[in-house]
Amino acid sequence: MIEKVNEQINKVEVAALVTKRASMLQAKTAAVNLGDETLVLLKMMVALCGELKQESQKAAKELDELKQLIRGAHE
C-alpha cells in the first residue's frame, strides 16, 4: 500500500507541475486533473489510516491478552 501511495504522490506532483506550466487554455483541464489525482491520493491515505487503526486496535488487544497471561502466571 505504501508503494501505491508513493506512486500517487508522484502523480500529484507531476499534475501540479503541469498545472503550473499550463497555458490559460490548458489551465482548466490541468487543474481538474490535479484535483482528480489529489482526490485519489486522499482516498488512499484514508484507506491507509483505516488499516493503521485496525492494526493499532489489534495490537492493543494482543497487549491486553499478554498482560492477562503475565498476571495469571504470577498468581
Side-chain angles (χ1 to χ4, degrees):
M1 180 67 165
I2 297 297
E3 186 176 310
K4 287 184 179 184
V5 169
N6 285 332
E7 288 174 11
Q8 190 60 34
I9 288 170
N10 289 337
K11 286 182 183 179
V12 170
E13 288 173 346
V14 169
L17 287 174
V18 169
T19 302
K20 184 177 177 181
R21 295 178 182 163
S23 70
M24 291 303 281
L25 293 175
Q26 298 168 320
K28 184 176 179 181
T29 301
V32 168
N33 185 50
L34 175 58
D36 289 347
E37 295 297 346
T38 302
L39 183 59
V40 170
L41 177 60
L42 289 173
K43 287 180 179 180
M44 291 175 131
M45 298 300 283
V46 166
L48 186 57
C49 287
E51 289 178 21
L52 289 172
K53 181 179 178 182
Q54 289 176 344
E55 290 297 319
S56 295
Q57 289 172 340
K58 182 180 173 185
K61 182 180 176 184
E62 290 174 356
L63 179 61
D64 286 340
E65 291 172 359
L66 286 172
K67 286 179 180 178
Q68 289 176 6
L69 286 174
I70 292 169
R71 284 187 205 122
H74 287 285
E75 292 178 357

